[in-house]
């Protein structure tokens, strides 16, 4: 039952990513060259609704389906890992024209060379895990 | 039905992404797609090589199911919910991309030059795709999240760390487009 819920949420997410064209390499290029408001509109409205919704969930102390408190994960108060990691990810995001969510979406849409990006991402994740203790966080 | 088959406008798509985040929070989970790469590494045996991968991967199975759903969602979106997959861009952007050699700009969903099956026989394209993946995999784990985990979830929860990460995403993206693209294409 739970599995079906997660699967359903994933399907909805995949459809939204595809139909919003957020999974299009062209849209990412256009965003980084400030050619269109489209991507900023998507991120901006997601954030407005997201911020208001999260505040509402907190104020109303809404419980999860299982009856627990919602797990809002606070992030660590550090700079280097977020800045350096962020820049490295940004380089890849612009080159692949896809962040991790759209990578799965493009695979489903039938753009199979994205599998090479997946292979790279797994290797990159592995390298991070391997060198983690030597990196400034 | 036409409005479903046409590209969805930003003011519909953005709130729907927030809705996906709320659904995950309400089932006790956090929106974050790049975490799956770590789980997949562990499934490939990386836990024998680095402590980072020695974690309770079963607690992340739900996220693999979400990713599987996203794959199916991509299939449905492309094959059943679209008349025409071409992404209409700003004409200036289209022209710019044509000069870079992306002839498919304006006529396709993603550039044929990168995502056509011919990519598998083109060393330069394979190299570009592999390197972009390396940067994505390394960067997301280093930063502890990607666009979904930081820019959407983290910023919605007003996390400074996510703001720093998002600024980093844009610094990296702008460096790639303005300084590295002219060398690559």
């Amino acid at each position: 039952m739970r599995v079906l819920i997660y699967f359903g949420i994933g399907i909805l997410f995949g459809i939204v990513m595809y139909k919003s064209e957020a999974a299009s390499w062209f849209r990412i290029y256009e965003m980084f060259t400030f050619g269109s408001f489209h991507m900023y509109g998507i991120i901006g409205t997601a954030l407005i609704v997201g911020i208001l919704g999260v505040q509402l969930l907190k104020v109303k102390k809404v419980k999860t389906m299982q009856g627990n408190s919602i797990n809002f994960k606070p992030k660590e108060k550090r700079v280097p890992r977020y800045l350096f990691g962020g820049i490295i990810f940004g380089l890849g995001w612009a080159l692949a024209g896809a962040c991790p969510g759209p990578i799965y979406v493009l695979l489903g849409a039938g753009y199979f060379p994205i599998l090479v990006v997946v292979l790279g991402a797994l290797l990159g994740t592995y390298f991070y895990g391997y060198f983690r203790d030597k990196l400034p966080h | 039905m036409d409005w479903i088959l046409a590209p969805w406008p930003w003011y519909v798509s953005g709130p729907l992404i927030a809705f996906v985040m709320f659904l995950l929070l309400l089932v006790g989970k956090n929106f974050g797609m790049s975490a799956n790469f770590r789980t997949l590494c562990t499934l490939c045996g990386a836990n024998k090589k680095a402590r980072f991968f020695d974690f309770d991967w079963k607690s992340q199975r739900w996220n693999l199911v979400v990713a599987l759903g996203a794959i199916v969602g991509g299939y449905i979106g492309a094959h059943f919910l679209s008349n025409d997959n071409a992404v209409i861009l700003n004409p200036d952007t289209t022209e710019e991309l044509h000069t870079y050699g992306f002839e498919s700009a304006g006529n396709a969903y993603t550039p044929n030059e990168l995502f056509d099956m011919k990519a598998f026989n083109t060393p330069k394209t394979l190299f570009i795709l592999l390197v972009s993946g390396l940067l994505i995999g390394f960067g997301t784990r280093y930063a502890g999240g990607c666009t979904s985990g930081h820019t959407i979830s983290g910023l919605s929860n007003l996390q400074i760390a996510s703001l720093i990460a998002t600024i980093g995403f844009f610094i990296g993206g702008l460096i790639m487009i303005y300084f590295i693209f002219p060398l690559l294409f």
Side-chain angles (χ1 to χ4, degrees):
Chain A
M1 178 59 199
R2 290 262 198 89
V3 171
L4 282 181
I5 293 175
Y6 302 138
F7 191 56
I9 295 174
I11 291 177
L12 174 66
F13 175 61
I15 292 175
V16 173
M17 283 287 111
Y18 188 88
K19 289 304 300 177
S20 67
E21 301 181 334
S24 164
W25 185 99
F26 294 124
R27 284 292 193 191
I28 305 304
Y29 178 89
E30 192 185 41
M31 171 181 77
F32 282 125
T33 54
F34 306 100
S36 163
F37 179 72
H38 186 75
M39 289 302 302
Y40 296 100
I42 292 178
I43 297 172
T45 47
L47 272 182
I48 293 169
V49 176
I51 290 170
L52 292 175
V54 166
Q55 292 309 312
L56 196 70
L57 292 175
K58 282 182 175 175
V59 170
K60 296 271 176 197
K61 295 194 172 63
V62 174
K63 301 282 184 202
T64 65
M65 188 179 67
Q66 298 90 339
N68 304 318
S69 303
I70 291 181
N71 177 23
F72 292 107
K73 276 194 189 152
K75 313 272 183 195
E76 302 158 66
K77 290 208 168 25
R78 298 163 187 266
V79 173
R81 72 170 298 185
Y82 298 114
L83 188 62
F84 300 150
I87 292 173
I88 295 169
F89 166 63
L91 290 165
W93 183 18
L95 187 56
C99 41
I103 286 177
Y104 308 113
V105 174
L106 289 174
L107 187 58
Y111 299 100
F112 297 119
I114 200 75
L115 283 168
V116 183
V117 180
V118 173
L119 177 70
L122 293 179
L123 285 172
T125 303
Y126 177 73
F127 290 147
Y128 169 74
Y130 196 84
F131 293 111
R132 187 170 185 242
D133 300 336
K134 297 184 176 63
L135 296 166
H137 284 75
Chain B
M1 275 302 279
D2 283 353
W3 58 274
I4 286 207
L5 299 175
W8 294 0
W10 53 265
Y11 49 84
V12 172
S13 311
L16 280 172
I17 293 170
F19 181 63
V20 167
M21 176 183 74
F22 295 141
L23 287 177
L24 284 171
L25 285 172
L26 290 173
V27 295
K29 305 298 179 194
N30 287 87
F31 188 30
M33 299 307 290
S34 61
N36 285 310
F37 296 139
R38 183 188 186 194
T39 315
L40 289 170
C41 278
T42 302
L43 286 173
C44 292
N47 53 333
K48 295 183 190 77
K49 298 282 183 188
R51 250 185 326 131
F52 180 65
F53 299 105
D54 197 3
F55 75 113
D56 178 20
W57 67 270
K58 287 187 178 170
S59 68
Q60 278 290 316
R61 273 184 303 194
W62 68 272
N63 211 348
L64 292 177
V65 176
V66 174
L68 199 65
I71 295 175
V72 174
Y75 181 84
I76 295 173
H79 294 91
F80 300 116
L81 298 179
S82 302
N83 275 335
D84 180 1
N85 288 310
V87 174
I88 307 303
L89 303 161
N90 179 335
D92 295 339
T93 306
T94 308
E95 203 173 309
E96 213 171 273
L97 283 165
H98 285 169
T99 61
Y100 270 138
F102 290 100
E103 292 299 330
S104 57
N107 304 311
Y109 191 84
T110 58
N112 296 335
E113 292 77 5
L114 291 175
F115 294 102
D116 192 84
M117 286 310 217
K118 284 198 290 287
F120 287 114
N121 305 318
T122 319
K124 185 186 163 188
T125 309
L126 285 177
F127 174 78
I128 286 172
L129 294 175
L130 189 70
V131 169
S132 68
L134 280 168
L135 293 165
I136 290 171
F138 191 94
T140 50
R141 274 311 26 85
Y142 194 177
C146 60
T147 337
S148 52
H150 277 307
T151 309
I152 305 296
S153 300
L155 286 183
S156 285
N157 194 22
L158 306 175
Q159 298 292 305
I160 296 291
S162 296
L163 183 63
I164 299 169
T166 302
I167 291 170
F169 299 166
F170 274 84
I171 295 174
L174 293 173
I175 292 174
M176 177 56 70
I177 300 284
Y178 287 100
F179 297 105
I180 306 182
F181 263 42
L183 306 174
L184 280 176
F185 303 109

